[in-house]
Amino acid sequence: MVTKRDFYEVLGVGKTASAAEIKKAYRQLALKFHPDRNKEAGAAEKFKEISEAYEILSNPQKKQNYDQFGHAAFDPASGFGGGRTTRQGPFTYTYSTSGGGPGFGGFGADFSDPFEIFESFFGGASPFGRSARLPRYGARIDLTEAYKGTTRKLVHQGREYEVKIPAGAEDGTQIRFDNFYVTVEVKPDSRFRRDGSDLFVDQPISFTQAALGATVKVPTMDGELKLKIRPGTQPGTLFRLRGKGMPRLRFSGRGDQYVRLLVEVPSKLSRKQKDLLNEFENF
């Protein structure tokens, strides 16, 4: 079994490298090992390895998954990856939890051609063979749109198309419409972290709420939900809200939402508050 090299090692950057540093390292290596310029043995494989590393590390959500789970996050055998293709009307949907496909991240607009990065420094020569592939576009959507499903309009060869993006779409979901592909990119959300069909959210609570118990409102994709906290709840306690996650693309139903409680300790206390805490400590 061939062991993949660490993606950061492949690009020669550290784990704290910025997006600009990752892109710069990729461009330099891609120029050096591109098969059209480098005819040495192994150059093509090296270029493929570089491109794969950049595809993951240039996408914030894929990079986060890689930092947490490593290569297993994109390995179908690990339970994180895998995909399924299905057809609905004129659309063909390819679902991939590993974020597979040609989505090179950072499209910058609702639609763009992810192969432009090669044209910018290879003079129009794409390593994927432009003449042998269908045109591809990228669609950027937010998490709410991914939850509910949405549509995007694009103009292809002078004709306007309305592309339906299914509820539960993930990074790498590919939609084929007649003679072109659309690859979906889901933008990171400020409140929720997504892992497949599951959602994770941090919920701050006060020290007294954790100690005495309380009912707090937590965000879900369907609006706020009241959550009952028992007295004596410890920091980091995780609550599971069944069926409050994202719609599942490969199966029916929805994933779950996990709420982690973060107990906020006050940084400033009045004299009376300090006396009460000291009294509590010595009780």
Side-chain angles (χ1 to χ4, degrees):
M1 180 178 178
V2 178
T3 302
K4 285 188 176 183
R5 285 205 298 155
D6 180 81
F7 284 151
Y8 291 99
E9 180 184 340
V10 170
L11 295 183
V13 298
K15 290 190 175 182
T16 58
S18 66
E21 290 171 332
I22 291 173
K23 185 174 184 179
K24 180 180 179 181
Y26 167 70
R27 283 178 174 268
Q28 292 175 342
L29 291 170
L31 280 170
K32 181 179 179 180
F33 291 101
H34 189 274
D36 289 349
R37 299 191 174 206
N38 191 328
K39 303 300 182 182
E40 296 180 3
E45 288 300 317
K46 182 71 173 178
F47 180 78
K48 181 179 178 181
E49 182 183 43
I50 293 166
S51 298
E52 182 183 13
Y54 179 72
E55 178 184 357
I56 301 302
L57 299 185
S58 64
N59 183 295
Q61 187 168 347
K62 294 178 184 178
K63 182 176 182 295
Q64 182 181 23
N65 290 339
Y66 178 73
D67 289 343
Q68 185 172 1
F69 301 109
H71 293 297
F74 309 96
D75 180 4
S78 69
F80 293 100
R84 177 185 179 187
T85 300
T86 181
R87 187 169 180 82
Q88 181 179 347
F91 297 94
T92 299
Y93 299 101
T94 301
Y95 311 129
S96 173
T97 57
S98 65
F104 277 85
F107 298 135
D110 281 349
F111 285 105
S112 65
D113 187 343
F115 291 87
E116 287 177 355
I117 188 170
F118 296 98
E119 295 180 351
S120 67
F121 58 93
F122 290 129
S126 168
F128 299 92
R130 180 174 293 276
S131 62
R133 65 173 177 84
L134 293 176
R136 298 174 184 264
Y137 300 89
R140 300 187 76 223
I141 63 175
D142 58 36
L143 189 64
T144 301
E145 291 175 309
Y147 179 76
K148 297 179 179 180
T150 187
T151 61
R152 286 289 188 272
K153 291 183 178 180
L154 66 85
V155 177
H156 172 68
Q157 296 181 346
R159 178 182 171 186
E160 185 176 82
Y161 293 82
E162 184 174 75
V163 179
K164 295 182 180 179
I165 301 174
E170 304 178 56
D171 266 351
T173 297
Q174 296 184 55
I175 305 170
R176 179 175 176 176
F177 185 85
D178 295 333
N179 55 351
F180 62 86
Y181 285 96
V182 173
T183 301
V184 177
E185 178 192 7
V186 182
K187 294 181 286 187
D189 188 86
S190 60
R191 299 174 302 166
F192 300 95
R193 182 176 67 82
R194 181 179 182 180
D195 183 4
S197 60
D198 292 333
L199 294 173
F200 296 81
V201 64
D202 288 334
Q203 177 63 43
I205 62 173
S206 68
F207 170 78
T208 53
Q209 286 176 321
L212 302 177
T215 298
V216 298
K217 294 180 179 180
V218 298
T220 73
M221 296 302 295
D222 295 318
E224 290 185 330
L225 182 71
K226 290 184 178 180
L227 182 66
K228 186 175 182 180
I229 300 172
R230 295 179 179 179
T233 294
Q234 298 301 305
T237 298
L238 201 65
F239 287 87
R240 179 183 182 183
L241 306 180
R242 292 183 180 274
K244 291 297 182 180
M246 298 293 292
R248 293 189 177 99
L249 285 175
R250 292 181 291 165
F251 308 97
S252 61
R254 300 193 310 187
D256 301 324
Q257 177 176 323
Y258 294 86
V259 181
R260 182 177 63 168
L261 298 182
L262 302 180
V263 179
E264 295 182 326
V265 179
S267 57
K268 294 182 179 180
L269 295 172
S270 67
R271 184 177 185 84
K272 184 176 181 180
Q273 288 173 323
K274 291 179 180 179
D275 291 340
L276 288 172
L277 285 176
N278 284 325
E279 182 180 345
F280 172 78
E281 179 70 18
N282 297 324
F283 181 75

